[in-house]
Amino acid sequence: MAALPQISEAEFEVMKIIWQYAPINTNEITEHLTRATSWSPKTIQTLIKRLVNKGVISYEKQSRVFVYTPLVDKNEYIGQESNSFLNRFYDGNISKMLSSYIENDKLSENEIDTLRSLLNNKGEN
């Protein structure tokens, strides 16, 4: 699998809206993001344009509006970013990462119980 393009935190916020509501037009994206952020419509349009240029989304002109759809699967992108994080900070070792989170009180007892349950269920499959 080829590496997916890198996107900024701001671009990721735009992508979350597109992934959730696609196909979605410029006005709808702007409406969602102006409610959730302090970004101007021009800033949002710039972020959309960057995502098009990176090949992460495509658009189709319908009448007078542009309608956007993702070209990158959300789970695939998040998986790539998770692997990148894991490799960069924990040498690809998920046990090291979880140990670090547990030792530094980054996981609650409830989260630890959830992880235990996930691991136990995985062992049954």
Side-chain angles (χ1 to χ4, degrees), residues 10 12-41 44-45 47-48 68:
F12 186 72
E13 291 303 313
V14 176
M15 283 305 298
K16 289 193 306 190
I17 298 298
I18 295 171
W19 278 318
Q20 184 172 357
Y21 299 105
I24 184 170
N25 69 46
T26 308
N27 293 336
E28 293 167 330
I29 295 169
T30 301
E31 184 180 316
H32 283 287
L33 289 169
T34 54
R35 277 190 261 139
T37 68
S38 60
W39 299 339
S40 72
I44 295 166
Q45 289 175 357
L47 293 168
I48 293 169
Y68 297 90

Side-chain angles (χ1 to χ4, degrees), residues 61-79:
K61 190 169 185 182
Q62 295 179 357
S63 297
R64 303 171 115 201
V65 297
F66 290 95
V67 177
Y68 297 90
T69 55
L71 295 174
V72 171
D73 179 74
K74 179 181 180 180
N75 292 330
E76 188 178 351
Y77 186 80
I78 291 172

